[in-house]
Amino acid sequence: MAKVLREDDFAQTIAAGTALVEFYSDSCVPCKRMSPLLAQLEEDGVVPVYKVNIVHSRSLAVDHEVQTTPTLILFTDGKEAARCHGYLNKAKLHAFLQEAGVAR
């Protein structure tokens, strides 16, 4: 299960390596539909997955210019490498990661 990040541990967690961060809200139905797909990615070892609740960590959402949920941001060594918005089915999620050079 993806770890929920907050302001106090966000920067340190994504500072090194590659990480996929989902910005979500508890009331977002597409976010709930994506949760099992993201959990499977992490379980398969494709990429570490983290979550940021935009209600509880509003400053992170503002800092990363998140305007809709879900927003997926792929970070490499603390810098944004790729971004997508909205629900992605399994095929589109893998295509997003392949285009970013993470998945094969």
Side-chain angles (χ1 to χ4, degrees):
M1 182 167 176
K3 178 182 177 188
V4 176
L5 300 177
R6 298 185 68 101
E7 287 89 349
D8 59 345
D9 59 354
F10 183 86
Q12 179 180 351
T13 302
I14 66 160
T18 301
L20 182 64
V21 179
E22 178 195 24
F23 288 82
Y24 77 101
S25 73
D26 290 328
S27 62
C28 170
V29 173
C31 299
K32 291 176 183 179
R33 290 180 56 210
M34 282 196 64
S35 282
L37 299 174
L38 296 173
Q40 190 65 51
L41 278 179
E42 188 168 46
E43 186 177 305
D44 291 346
V46 174
V47 64
V49 177
Y50 300 96
K51 294 176 144 258
V52 172
N53 186 311
I54 65 163
V55 174
H56 301 299
S57 299
R58 185 166 299 283
S59 65
L60 286 175
V62 170
D63 290 348
H64 294 284
E65 300 176 356
V66 173
Q67 297 181 3
T68 187
T69 57
T71 292
L72 297 176
I73 302 178
L74 184 69
F75 290 93
T76 301
D77 297 329
K79 296 184 173 141
E80 183 176 327
R83 173 187 294 241
C84 65
H85 310 280
Y87 174 78
L88 300 177
N89 63 29
K90 187 175 182 177
K92 288 182 181 179
L93 182 57
H94 280 283
F96 166 72
L97 294 171
Q98 284 177 331
E99 287 175 21
V102 174
R104 295 180 189 103

